Amino acid sequence: MTATASETTLNASVDVRFTAAGTPLAVRYDGRIWAVAAEPVHWFARDSWWQTRSTAPVGVGNIVDIEFWRVQVKLSSNAALRTFLLRRDPAATQWLLESIS
């Protein structure tokens, strides 16, 4: 028998609190604060803006880098770990909770 992780796709707006070094410390989702409990993973992906927008807005700056964080979080010290995939699109100020597994 093979175990598989269950994943829920959300794309819900969340608030993320960062350390002074720029690493996620906690995520506020659904009225609860989830503490980051393991070393997060950070990366960038490229947006195909030419396929989703007719032109690039003037003066926006970086319009192609989508920022991601994969964080393992929990509600309390004895709670089970959950994995949140966080995403911030180019020119956006709000973080999105893309999925939970």
Side-chain angles (χ1 to χ4, degrees):
M1 176 182 278
T2 304
T4 60
S6 173
E7 185 172 306
T8 303
T9 302
L10 301 167
N11 288 322
S13 295
V14 294
D15 294 319
V16 182
R17 178 173 290 171
F18 291 89
T19 66
T23 304
L25 181 64
V27 178
R28 181 186 298 271
Y29 166 64
D30 199 27
R32 299 180 190 181
I33 296 178
W34 296 76
V36 175
E39 188 68 30
V41 178
H42 186 224
W43 73 94
F44 289 87
R46 294 291 196 174
D47 180 31
S48 302
W49 65 267
W50 58 90
Q51 294 175 346
T52 58
R53 297 178 217 49
S54 57
T55 61
V58 175
V60 170
N62 184 347
I63 61 167
V64 296
D65 288 331
I66 303 170
E67 186 174 6
F68 289 93
W69 284 96
R70 178 171 286 127
V71 294
Q72 289 190 311
V73 296
K74 57 185 174 177
L75 287 172
S76 65
S77 60
N78 58 349
L81 285 174
R82 305 291 300 271
T83 301
F84 283 8
L85 179 58
L86 306 172
R87 181 185 86 232
R88 188 172 61 184
D89 292 325
T93 57
Q94 184 66 48
W95 284 93
L96 296 175
L97 175 55
E98 187 168 290
S99 65
I100 299 174
S101 57

